[in-house]
Amino acid sequence: MPLGAMNYLFIALGATVLALSYALMYVEKAVDGFFALDIAPFTLVGAYAWILFAIFWREKKK
């Protein structure tokens, strides 16, 4: 398999952060709210970057 168990775990972690970020923006229901403007951009970009890292990450061979 091209991806290992840790890769899938990292991808699931990133997807969870994405889902929580979008859910919190939905719950806030304000375009100019604190979460939508100040926190969500960093969490969303970080989660997408984390998923890319998870796809390309490989365990070191012994």
Side-chain angles (χ1 to χ4, degrees), residues 16-45 47:
T16 303
V17 171
L18 280 175
L20 285 174
S21 295
Y22 282 118
L24 286 173
M25 281 195 297
Y26 177 75
V27 167
E28 187 177 38
K29 293 190 192 243
V31 175
D32 58 349
F34 175 72
F35 187 79
L37 289 179
D38 296 329
I39 297 174
F42 297 108
T43 59
L44 292 173
V45 170

Side-chain angles (χ1 to χ4, degrees), residues 13 19 33 38 43 45 50 54-55 58-60:
L13 179 67
D38 296 329
T43 59
V45 170
W50 182 258
I55 291 171
R58 297 283 181 245
E59 290 187 48
K60 292 182 180 178

